[in-house]
Amino acid sequence: MPIYDFKCEKCEHQFSEMKTIANRDVPLSEPCPKCGLVGCVVKEYLGAPAQMLDTKYRVDSKHNMGGFRDAMERMSERPGIKGTPDGDRIKAKYCT
Ligand SMILES: [Zn+2]
């Protein structure tokens, strides 16, 4: 059973509970275990992979340019493209 992290928005109390996937939202409608208020428990995503929390990590960032450049370079080397003005243009634009 996965462990879900919850947090009370009122008293900032954080807690984890083991829940079945079907019951993962149950604590949201239950009272906070610390202050007893109902309706202020929210889900926390403490277990999310670091890259999901890192806003600098984007698929269109420099991070992935390497792969894109590689692909363009391979394309410019393909027969029928290599040595043509198109091939040269791709190389000049993406492979420098
Ligand atoms: Zn609370």
Side-chain angles (χ1 to χ4, degrees), residues 19-55:
K19 292 280 175 199
T20 60
I21 287 165
N23 284 332
R24 69 190 184 278
D25 288 335
V26 167
L28 307 188
S29 52
E30 286 182 342
C32 163
K34 196 178 175 195
C35 69
L37 281 170
V38 183
C40 41
V41 174
V42 293
K43 246 187 278 185
E44 279 263 279
Y45 293 97
L46 303 174
Q51 71 193 45
M52 281 180 70
L53 302 174
D54 181 2
T55 52

Side-chain angles (χ1 to χ4, degrees), residues 67-79 81 95:
F68 182 68
R69 201 174 290 141
D70 273 0
M72 292 315 273
E73 189 157 13
R74 274 200 303 277
M75 202 169 108
S76 72
E77 295 291 327
R78 276 168 59 182
I81 295 179
C95 311

